[in-house]
Amino acid sequence: MATIDTLTAAHLSSPSPSSLTAVADHVIRGDHAALQQLVGALGPQLTSTDERERSQATLLLADVLSRMALSELPADSVAHLADFFCNRLTDYPCAAAVMRGLLALLSSPLQAEHALRIGTTLLEECDVRSLVQAERHAALTLANELVRAHWAALSSSGVRMLLPALRALDGEKDPRNLLLYLQLLRTLCQRCEEQRAPGFDVTANQLETDAVHSSMQSRAPQAATLCEQVAAEEVFEALALYFPIAFTPPPNDPHRITEQHLLQALLRTLRASRFFGPPALTFFGSKLHAAEEQPTKMQARATFASHTPFDPLPSPRTSPHLAPHLAPPRTSPSPAQALQAIAVLAPTFDAATLAAHAQRLGAALGAEVASLASPPPLAAALGLAGPDASEAALRDAIAACLAALATAAAAADRAAAGRAAAAADGDVAASPPPPLLPTLVTDAVSACVAPSPRGPGAEVTAPLLGLHPCVARGGNPVS
């Protein structure tokens, strides 16, 4: 019967699936001592100065581990293997093999200290962004699985995991990797908010209106509050740099990733924490075509002091190692993506956020609807004023945005009315705030039901009025 030394030497001299199976079967049939024998047999190659030899030996060990049931592996063996692979994470010629080995170890009885070490070594010591696409994909897969399977060990360091992940992986543009990156950030943000980690304590960081902010100007900011803002601010700024999504899949793309897939992944990540609601409305509101034309008297304080409402964030960064498929954002993007974003994120907008932006956002939405009802003069002169696919998409986006905002505003108005009624029952003077719903939708509705409305604008907001689009245009309903 062949020994482990013979089988290992045969595989290293001529790697093949059959020789790998022979080594793995030999180790699996034995107990944990067989694994120790494999490590001993690979010793010279694992410590070789030849990159090819070292990489092949590391990959063989990782492949064997990935085929084994590691749930009953002794704790000391797990610890030694975890230490070995963590020490090799900066051995970049072996990066893919090392991450494969660590991924296999996640199914073993990994101690909390080793789970934490894997995360910190991967995100703080390994230069993931310098790796090729497949290796970055492996690193992201490892990070996602680590958070999924060992969050109990990481929970005490939630933000400590989140910020290194953000900084180590930020700038990723390969669509396959970007989906994993956004998934990782989404999970970490959700976990941080669940445990009320610094920077994700929503109750302590609600956006306030200008009036409230002005009354507090004389107070010195508390250091703890400023410190808590750092994590969420950095995460939001990094995510905002990806907007708008501009992606054209390569021909015959087997992965079938679309621009919408990437946009939805980004928005799901922004929905992971209610803390992102206020800056999100500020940011996406600035992307509406009509936003710059609106008066600025309703300027409200953004959650993060470094940004004011409707001020766009910096341009996306570029990195030479990133795949070229995800293009830089368009210089004049359609507002459809921003409208879609506001609709998706509307449930995260609290009453204070809506109140701070309602007048200006309502005017911008009204202008967007009016632009649908009034075709550009040049297009009309050329006889090209009919709706096209992009206009239909914009119309749908406006309708969805208005409906979502109307739902959020109506809920806020009902809550405010309830509080006012309760205060009145208690003989306490109550002055409820102005209702939000009319402020947000009046301009848009007016653009649809004004005398002789033109174009498809009426179809956008007629459902909000309970009317058939034909009636909104002044005609008769269709039976």
Side-chain angles (χ1 to χ4, degrees), residues 131-147:
L131 304 176
V132 298
Q133 183 275 328
E135 293 168 350
R136 300 199 309 277
H137 191 278
L140 286 160
T141 301
L142 173 62
N144 272 290
E145 183 61 18
L146 178 65
V147 171

Side-chain angles (χ1 to χ4, degrees), residues 122-157:
L122 174 66
L123 299 175
E124 297 181 15
E125 298 179 22
C126 180
D127 185 6
V128 177
R129 287 190 285 189
S130 70
L131 304 176
V132 298
Q133 183 275 328
E135 293 168 350
R136 300 199 309 277
H137 191 278
L140 286 160
T141 301
L142 173 62
N144 272 290
E145 183 61 18
L146 178 65
V147 171
R148 187 199 66 80
H150 294 277
W151 179 250
L154 307 173
S155 60
S156 62
S157 303

Side-chain angles (χ1 to χ4, degrees), residues 355-416:
H357 297 81
Q359 181 173 326
R360 196 172 183 200
L361 184 59
L365 290 170
E368 294 292 351
V369 174
S371 71
L372 291 177
S374 303
L378 179 60
L382 297 175
L384 301 175
D388 56 16
S390 61
E391 185 177 87
L394 182 58
R395 181 176 63 241
D396 292 343
I398 294 174
C401 183
L402 281 167
L405 284 174
T407 299
D413 289 342
R414 287 194 298 270

